[in-house]
Amino acid sequence: MTVQTPEPTADVTIFYADWCPFCAKLIKNLDRTETPYALVDVEGDNTDDINAWIESVNDGNRIIPTVLYSDGTHETNPPASSVRNKQKELAES
């Protein structure tokens, strides 16, 4: 079964849930430096495809935050510094 990568809506798209402390920490740290990103709640309606993608890039596990970049690469539970560096790289290209 082929899983379709979600279409990014920004250079940085964060797949998160309100209850996730790791998500909250990443978002707080990115907000502190005014790093732009888009958020996608994995608990919302019509998220089966998104959750299937998250599982497909995390060895079958639904791990959040999973971050998708506009160049098609992704990271799982990355530090904010990594996301900032990648966002800067994407904004310059």
Side-chain angles (χ1 to χ4, degrees), residues 27-89:
I27 291 165
K28 178 182 172 195
N29 289 337
L30 292 176
D31 286 349
R32 189 173 44 85
T33 56
E34 298 181 5
T35 304
Y37 58 85
L39 287 176
V40 176
D41 186 347
V42 301
E43 300 285 309
D45 293 333
N46 303 316
T47 57
D48 290 345
D49 290 345
I50 289 167
N51 285 302
W53 174 78
I54 291 170
E55 290 173 4
S56 77
V57 298
N58 290 301
D59 297 321
N61 298 303
R62 186 172 155 241
I63 302 172
I64 50 174
T66 295
V67 180
L68 175 62
Y69 300 108
S70 59
D71 66 358
T73 61
H74 65 274
E75 289 186 276
T76 301
N77 197 15
S81 59
S82 177
V83 176
R84 278 192 290 275
N85 290 339
K86 185 68 174 187
Q87 191 279 328
K88 188 181 294 184
E89 173 190 315

